[in-house]
Structure formats: C-alpha cells, structure tokens
Amino acid sequence: MKPFNHTNAKSLAEVQTALAGGKTALIAGGTDLIGTLKDNILPGYPSTLINIKTVPGLDYIKEEGGMLKIGAATRLADIAANRAVKEKYTALAQAASRAATPHIRDMGTLGGNIAQLHRCWYFRKPENRFNCIRKGGTTCFAMTGDNRYHSIFGAVNRCIAVHPSDAAPALIALNAKVVTNKRTIEAENFFDVKIPGNTVLAADEIIKEIQIPAPPAGAKSAFLKFAIRKSIDFPIVNCAVMVGGGAPRICLNAVAPKPYRALKAEAAIAGKPINEANAEAAGEAAVADARPLQAAKFKVQIAKTLVKRALLATV
Ligand SMILES: Cc1cc2nc3c(=O)[nH]c(=O)nc-3n(C[C@H](O)[C@H](O)[C@H](O)COP(=O)(O)OP(=O)(O)OC[C@H]3O[C@@H](n4cnc5c(N)ncnc54)[C@H](O)[C@@H]3O)c2cc1C
Ligand code: SF4
C-alpha cells in the first residue's frame, strides 16, 4: 500500500473543503476503502484520507417528523439491533444483519455500504492487472471471461458488474431518501455506474443522513439474501419488499449494475392477496426482462425464488 496522510475531520465543512481539493478520499469504517487501497486497484490513488467518523453528529438513529433518520456514519450493527428499525423498517434491519460479518458490521457504516465499490474480480484484481472499462480502459474482461456472478439484466455504461450492497435494496423498497451536504436524492436514483464510483455523488459531496418515511399503516417489509455462506459472503442475489397499505415496492440487488426495482413484479402483485400463487407470479414477472450470459443463468431462478419468498415472508 502506498503511504497516505490521515486527517480526523471535525466538521462537514472541513470534509467538503478537503474533498474539493482533490487527491483525497473520505473514509468511514474503511472496510471497503482500505481493501481497494491495499490492493492498489483504484485508477487514482488518494494522498490523504479524511476520516468522517470524527465529525460530531453523524451517528444516530431517531424517529422524527414521521420518518426514521439514520446518520451516515451509523454502523450496520447498530441498525440491525435497533428496536424501531426491527419493528417498523424490518427489511433494513434484516439487510444490515445479513451484510458481511459481525466484525465488519461493527466497523462498516450505512453511508459506506451504499457508496461501496463493486466486487467484479477483474476490477478487484490487485495491482490493476485488468485495466477494464471501469478504470478507464477499453475492455470488459468479464464479458468474455468468468461472469457467473455478474448482471442478468445487461450492462450499464458497458459494465456488467453488479451492485453488491445488502442495504441498498432495503432502502429502495422502503422508499428512502439520501440526504447529502448538497441535496436530497431518492434512494432509487442514488446509484450510478462511473469510473470508478457507484453513486451520483459529486467529488465533494458527502452523505449526511438516510431518511425513511414511516411505512403506511398495515405495510410490512422483508429482506432475503442468497449467498454461498451464511456469513461474510456478498449476495449472489438479494431482495427487499414492502407490501400492504400502499403500492407494493420490490427491489433486487446483485443482479444488475445498479439495484433493480422489479416494476413488473410490483404490478403483478398490486391489489392482490399475498399467497403462494400470486407471489410466484410476481417472481416470474420480476425476471421477465432478464437476459443473463450463459454462466449467470442460475441467478435468474434465484431472483425469481427470492421475490416469491420475500413476499411470503410478509404474511
Ligand atoms: C469480507 C467482506 C465482506 C463483505 N460483505 C458484504 C455483504 O455481504 N454485504 C454488503 O452489503 N457489504 C459487504 N461488504 C462491504 C462492507 O461491509 C460495507 O460496504 C460497509 O458497510 C462499508 O462501510 P464503511 O463505513 O466501512 O465504508 P468505507 O470503506 O469507509 O467507505 C466505502 C466507500 O464509501 C465512501 N463513503 C463512506 N462514507 C461516506 C459518506 N458519508 N459520504 C460519501 N461517501 C462515503 C468512501 O469514500 C468509500 O469510497 C463486505 C466487505 C468485506 C471486506
Ligand atoms: S464487469 Fe465492469 S468492472 Fe468488471 S471487468 Fe467488466 S467493466 Fe470492469
């Protein structure tokens, strides 16, 4: 790992000024960022890390003004254990509890989780051995190489790496908003496919808070994840749903370069009772537009089944 400076920021203004100066990176828990630095996989290497965890007032979970507010530097472990989140925003508590490992959940923050980089093994190969499109190169090595864990809904900006977050689909299903130092963004519109970032954030933009409106009366949510191992593994596919008391919301992740809102599944289940047959039909609808590469075909069945089971988990 190349040497870098480390600054414990005391205010968001300090973080923003430092980021605007360039050659800096923001660090929260460091569970994603440090790996990318150690492996030297970023197209540009920061000379200074700005620690956002030392900024006062970014670590909280509170219900206020008809919504749940979570500070960006709140750890996944605290979200998973919070009573209000478990009872009313169940999909998020379940997603936070299934991410990574207990140690990583004790370090990793919600802001870092939704801003993390993708896990494509060509992109993550140490020492930049594959200078792919997401690093400014011209080739997607996964397209003709090993793409078994890649997108089943095609490419975005010629990249088929999937978004790996467990929290992201829960936030989208729960209709959350991401509040930054500059604006408020619907969680659904927060994700992007850039070189090398995965968000619409500008270089000097900082996530301050996640806001989730209180679910409508009668609504229930659930999150399910399929991974090779119960702990540590990233999702092969995950799914979050919110149904009852309003229009259904269903979001898959790890199936496309951005979290995938399953609009056809939502239409299929809207206004219908959640039962085996209707949940199965929604699962079928969720993957109606899938066009997986050969090695990733197995993910279609998993996505279909997770939608069905997540819906049934709410009754
Ligand atoms: C072995 C392993 C397994 C994992 N498994 C999973 C898994 O199963 N599911 C899952 O979802 N994740 C998983 N992760 C990823 C990691 O746990 C989460 O992404 C974690 O929540 C990241 O948070 P962090 O605070 O450590 O982020 P950091 O590493 O500190 O930051 C990650 C990125 O987010 C940016 N960032 C952080 N906070 C902000 C902010 N407030 N505003 C703007 N940008 C910000 C940083 O600049 C950096 O680019 C795994 C990681 C490892 C190492
Ligand atoms: S899938 Fe994306 S990250 Fe992976 S090699 Fe292709 S362009 Fe690079």
Side-chain angles (χ1 to χ4, degrees), residues 118 120 122-123 132-134 139-142 150 158-161:
H118 44 283
C120 169
Y122 297 101
F123 181 84
C132 73
I133 288 165
R134 294 299 291 281
T139 307
C140 171
F141 297 94
H150 284 67
R158 299 192 296 143
C159 173
I160 56 169

Side-chain angles (χ1 to χ4, degrees), residues 216-236:
K220 284 194 175 166
S221 66
F223 168 90
L224 287 180
K225 168 175 179 175
F226 181 90
I228 304 289
R229 292 170 291 186
K230 284 206 168 72
S231 187
I232 209 173
D233 274 344
F234 284 91
I236 303 292

